Amino acid sequence: MVKVTVCGGAGGIGQPLSLLVKLNPNVSELAIFDIVNAKGVAADLSHINTSAVVTGYQPKDKEDKSAIEGALKGTDIVVIPAGVPRKPGMTRADLFNVNASIVRDLAASIAKVAPNARVLIISNPVNSTVPIAAEVFKKLGVFNPHKLFGVTTLDSVRAETFLGDLLLVSPGYVKGRISVIGGHSGDTIVPLTNVVPDINGSKLSGEAYAKFVHRVQFGGDEVVQAKNGAGSATLSMAYAGYRFTEHIIESLVGNRTSDSNRISDSAYVYLPGLEGGNDLVKLHLNGVEYFSVPVELENGQIKSFVDPFTLLNITDDERKLVDVALKGLQSSIDQGVNFVAGSKL
Ligand SMILES: NC(=O)C1=CN([C@@H]2O[C@H](COP(=O)(O)OP(=O)(O)OC[C@H]3O[C@@H](n4cnc5c(N)ncnc54)[C@H](O)[C@@H]3O)[C@@H](O)[C@H]2O)C=CC1
Ligand SMILES: O=C([O-])CC(=O)C(=O)O
């Protein structure tokens, strides 16, 4: 049985994500941490007749660390959808000013109270917030790259849905048969469509392929525009965030139910800390150290990753997309690293 803590658990993503976690029979405690309404959301969820005990933690003021420390105490998994979402006209990078310090401070508390927890970061810009958490953990001497994940599952979920639409097959059939690699913003997102021969991207015409790639890369904008100022994807993100959290829980408790023929979901990770990661960085990623790749899990941590360049039949078109992605990623990573270097922890 595991304890899961959701930081930002009263938000647009946090609430439905926490609902899904509450339904998981392997969860013994679900801790909701938020700066608003944490106790209300916890009380509400606690009436659901599943075994997870739900607790709510809300700080009295900015200085009060007892709430976050209570929420993190003894936790196995921390999921972080805390921070502000986009409005129309903004990029994810525009969220850096607010969300960077939120993720930094949460990471510092995790380092102190739950240094062995698996940490799943949803807060944007993911391309920078994951390096921020990693740098905090490094500075505080607790960094384990096998346990830090930028959640990019929504890109896979979108790719499955949109490719299913185009190929006239159910999205369930596409699930786990394509991969999305790279980062989590616009042209840093790289869908790979040719992983299995029976759903070959080359079946799409050039124009259909270009539209598919664009839709996966900019799917987040569709939702931001449709919500028209009321935020970004929350429900599809809660589903995607839970899908990844569930994999972690399954691998922790040792009853993986997922189809082993499927390619694992990707996560945005620090490659030099993983076996074979340095080679990937040098040979294929022009020195970029954070990249989303499919990850194999064991005991809630990364056992290995799937090298897309040798195992996933990358086409020339996809290689070009990777080159574009790498340019955008490096500056976002640098921004995160420099932010922590200039921060007092
Ligand atoms: N990784 C991904 O694929 C996706 C990431 N996101 C990102 O997730 C984040 C959250 O989005 P929403 O839930 O829609 O926003 P929201 O505004 O509805 O919820 C955010 C919650 O975080 C809380 N919060 C703010 N500061 C906090 C702190 N210091 N500690 C704990 N909680 C804090 C707020 O009180 C609020 O309840 C945004 O940054 C958004 O861009 C959104 C969709 C997809
Ligand atoms: O677009 C946004 O700002 C939220 C997000 O990351 C997504 O929906 O993929």
Side-chain angles (χ1 to χ4, degrees):
M1 297 291 271
V2 299
K3 174 173 174 178
V4 179
T5 302
V6 182
C7 296
I13 297 167
Q15 290 202 35
L17 175 61
S18 299
L19 169 62
L20 294 170
V21 173
K22 169 72 172 120
L23 304 183
N24 188 306
N26 292 309
V27 176
S28 54
E29 183 180 348
L30 166 61
I32 308 289
F33 175 76
D34 203 301
I35 54 171
V36 297
N37 199 23
K39 290 191 188 290
V41 170
D44 188 355
L45 288 171
S46 74
H47 289 190
I48 296 173
N49 59 348
T50 58
S51 54
V53 173
V54 187
T55 47
Y57 297 89
Q58 189 175 322
K60 286 186 207 69
D61 53 48
K62 273 198 155 185
E63 310 311 317
D64 176 17
K65 290 277 173 215
S66 64
I68 185 64
E69 294 186 4
L72 293 172
K73 192 162 182 241
T75 201
D76 300 290
I77 301 171
V78 186
V79 192
I80 307 184
V84 289
R86 284 198 286 165
K87 289 185 166 39
M90 293 171 81
T91 66
R92 291 182 184 79
D94 293 330
L95 304 172
F96 187 96
N97 283 344
V98 179
N99 291 352
S101 55
I102 293 176
V103 171
R104 177 198 59 199
D105 296 347
L106 289 170
S109 295
I110 293 166
K112 184 176 168 203
V113 182
N116 291 319
R118 291 88 188 145
V119 180
L120 282 59
I121 299 193
I122 293 173
S123 313
N124 271 317
V126 166
N127 295 355
S128 304
T129 51
V130 175
I132 287 173
E135 290 301 308
V136 170
F137 294 153
K138 283 184 200 170
K139 258 193 172 177
L140 299 176
V142 299
F143 182 42
N144 182 343
H146 299 87
K147 292 185 176 177
L148 176 64
F149 309 86
V151 181
T152 55
T153 324
L154 182 55
D155 302 318
S156 300
V157 169
R158 286 184 177 131
E160 289 160 5
T161 306
F162 303 157
L163 192 61
D165 283 353
L166 281 168
L167 297 178
L168 303 176
V169 295
S170 101
Y173 180 70
V174 185
K175 185 177 174 198
R177 291 169 191 261
I178 59 173
S179 282
V180 182
I181 62 171
H184 178 68
S185 73
D187 61 15
T188 70
I189 300 171
V190 180
L192 304 178
T193 55
N194 63 341
V195 169
V196 288
D198 59 337
I199 320 179
N200 193 328
S202 63
K203 279 189 202 156
L204 300 174
S205 70
E207 198 191 338
Y209 173 69
K211 274 192 179 157
F212 165 72
V213 170
H214 185 273
R215 203 165 172 214
V216 174
Q217 291 185 327
F218 295 92
D221 298 56
E222 280 183 28
V223 182
V224 170
Q225 274 150 28
K227 290 197 174 177
N228 197 22
S232 56
T234 53
L235 300 170
S236 50
M237 183 59 231
Y239 164 75
Y242 178 68
R243 175 163 134 179
F244 197 75
T245 306
E246 189 183 34
H247 288 321
I248 301 270
I249 295 171
E250 280 177 1
S251 84
L252 250 175
V253 300
N255 68 347
R256 189 181 157 92
T257 52
S258 322
D259 177 351
S260 56
N261 290 323
R262 289 178 167 170
I263 299 158
S264 303
D265 274 327
S266 296
Y268 183 70
V269 296
Y270 179 67
L271 284 165
L274 307 177
E275 205 186 327
N278 260 324
D279 291 341
L280 191 69
V281 169
K282 279 191 207 131
L283 294 176
H284 298 289
L285 301 180
N286 299 341
V288 171
E289 295 182 326
Y290 290 85
F291 205 74
S292 188
V293 284
V295 288
E296 301 291 345
L297 303 172
E298 189 176 75
N299 192 25
Q301 36 186 318
I302 300 170
K303 188 174 79 174
S304 59
F305 65 85
V306 177
D307 174 351
F309 299 91
T310 52
L311 298 170
L312 300 183
N313 299 326
I314 286 194
T315 63
D316 290 347
D317 281 345
E318 290 165 352
R319 176 69 235 190
K320 282 184 200 145
L321 293 175
V322 168
D323 288 334
V324 174
L326 293 175
K327 287 192 192 120
L329 280 174
Q330 189 60 57
S331 56
S332 305
I333 294 165
D334 291 344
Q335 197 186 6
V337 171
N338 294 337
F339 175 74
V340 179
S343 295
K344 250 194 178 166
L345 296 180

